[in-house]
Amino acid sequence: MKKFYAARPLLGLLFVFSVGTVKAQQDVGDLFVSGPADATKLVNAYFDPLYKGLGVGLSDGWNNTARSKGLFKFDVRVSASAAFVPQSARSYDVNALGLSNIKPAAGSSSIGPTAFGADEEGGRMQVYTSSGVPTGKFFNLPQGVGFHVVPSAQIQATLGLPKNIDVSLRAMPKIKLGSDLGSLSMIGFGAKVELLPLFMGNSERLVPVDIAIAGGYTQYKYNLPLNIDNTANSDQRIDAKFSGVNFDAIVSKKIMFFTPFASVGYQTSKTDLKALGTYSFATSATTSATYTDPIAVKQTDVDGLRGSIGFQLKFGFFKFYGSYTAAKYSMVNAGIGLGIGQ
């Protein structure tokens, strides 16, 4: 079976931090034959849980305690999140997408799995011309990966500054994942302010907990050169940006080496994905179509409140983290850290 080339780059990004082999999928050329508008709608429907799952994961794992670090104290942490795809987001109905030139073939289902749906092909589709004439082209909706968790990862360094402020950096230089998976980079910035010392100074605290406000911004960039049925069109590529912003109020209580915490906040995430270049396809035995920059996705995927509970364990220089977050997609986060100070 031909591979679904639109799926490979995004799933490649996903599996940098996880497991598995990208499933063989239907050639994206079959989608382009129907025109960029229909192709964009199908790509959006198929990858919707990836957009949302990665969106909530981007802003996860910034803080596991409200207490700020001492001046110039620091730590480095690596953590991973898993966002759970609900049942309603594991499939889609092409009849609900408003497609112009694609319809289910006679006697075929209109349902297809999303990227995190069942590991089986969806219904068989037939492609029509803009005037409603069948082109003779058929394809099956692409299959899912067979599991329902969207993973993401965070690599973060945090430094304590004056006035009970922490600043954090998330960074990964551009790395090449191989000729089939393109390149990936990450950048992010965050800050946290512990509130009670601002009002109570260093005197004995009347409130037996730590309280802070925090915020962060994270962005993944992904690029993949393509060569889809067009060896002469070397400008084909996928350019994608996934960005997330969060603001949180945090309360925690240190009990020896154990620090439980809870937080409430707001998060938003956006996807900006483009299939760029020139793509030419045969639409019949005697006709062809050429599309330039055929797919453009620019949208807000997550925009709402979230709540988290979790803990930090500290043993000397080593720290262990864990948390659960209720948001657009619920998720868990776990990680380890190494550093000096709280």
Side-chain angles (χ1 to χ4, degrees), residues 17-18 57 60-61 77-83 150-155 170 220 321-323 331-336:
F17 307 116
S18 66
D60 198 30
R77 67 167 66 183
V78 177
S79 59
S81 297
V150 184
S152 57
Q154 303 85 30
I155 306 169
R170 290 181 170 178
Y220 286 112
Y321 313 98
S323 65
M331 60 185 168
V332 293
N333 177 274
I336 58 174

Side-chain angles (χ1 to χ4, degrees), residues 183-234:
S183 61
L184 173 71
S185 62
M186 178 183 69
I187 190 69
F189 305 95
K192 180 178 69 180
V193 180
E194 189 180 352
L195 297 179
L196 293 183
L198 297 179
F199 305 104
M200 303 173 62
N202 295 322
S203 60
E204 185 176 350
R205 297 181 181 182
L206 300 178
V207 180
V209 295
D210 301 306
I211 301 173
I213 55 174
Y217 169 83
T218 308
Q219 182 187 86
Y220 286 112
K221 288 185 178 181
Y222 184 73
N223 174 267
L224 179 71
L226 296 177
N227 184 12
I228 301 177
D229 291 349
N230 300 279
T231 56
N233 294 324
S234 59

Side-chain angles (χ1 to χ4, degrees), residues 33 129 134-137 281-289:
V33 166
T129 67
T135 65
K137 294 281 186 177
F281 301 97
T283 55
S284 70
T286 59
T287 62
S288 64

Side-chain angles (χ1 to χ4, degrees), residues 59-68 77 79 81 170 192 208-214 246-255 257-265 306-313 320-326 331-335 342:
S59 56
D60 198 30
W62 278 106
N63 296 284
N64 296 86
T65 175
R67 181 172 292 190
S68 63
R77 67 167 66 183
S79 59
S81 297
R170 290 181 170 178
K192 180 178 69 180
V209 295
D210 301 306
I211 301 173
I213 55 174
N246 65 285
F247 300 96
D248 296 284
I250 310 165
V251 58
S252 68
K253 171 64 175 179
K254 184 178 180 181
I255 308 170
F257 55 84
F258 176 64
T259 304
F261 81 93
S263 68
V264 293
R306 68 175 187 175
S308 300
I309 57 174
F311 66 89
Q312 172 182 284
L313 292 173
F320 301 89
Y321 313 98
S323 65
Y324 169 82
T325 298
M331 60 185 168
V332 293
N333 177 274
Q342 169 59 37

Side-chain angles (χ1 to χ4, degrees), residues 154-192:
Q154 303 85 30
I155 306 169
Q156 177 178 321
T158 301
L159 177 69
L161 297 181
K163 305 297 183 181
N164 301 97
I165 297 174
D166 284 351
V167 291
S168 298
L169 170 68
R170 290 181 170 178
M172 181 172 62
K174 185 175 182 179
I175 58 174
K176 294 184 178 181
L177 308 177
S179 59
D180 290 335
L181 294 178
S183 61
L184 173 71
S185 62
M186 178 183 69
I187 190 69
F189 305 95
K192 180 178 69 180

Side-chain angles (χ1 to χ4, degrees), residues 12-79:
L13 163 65
L14 191 65
F15 291 137
V16 170
F17 307 116
S18 66
V19 297
T21 302
V22 179
K23 304 293 185 180
Q25 303 290 351
Q26 192 75 17
D27 191 341
V28 74
D30 290 334
L31 304 184
F32 286 8
V33 166
S34 67
D38 281 359
T40 298
K41 291 176 181 178
L42 283 170
V43 167
N44 262 353
Y46 181 73
F47 284 115
D48 182 68
L50 172 63
Y51 300 154
K52 291 183 171 64
L54 190 59
V56 296
L58 282 171
S59 56
D60 198 30
W62 278 106
N63 296 284
N64 296 86
T65 175
R67 181 172 292 190
S68 63
K69 294 189 176 301
L71 182 61
F72 301 134
K73 304 296 184 181
F74 70 92
D75 69 24
V76 177
R77 67 167 66 183
V78 177
S79 59

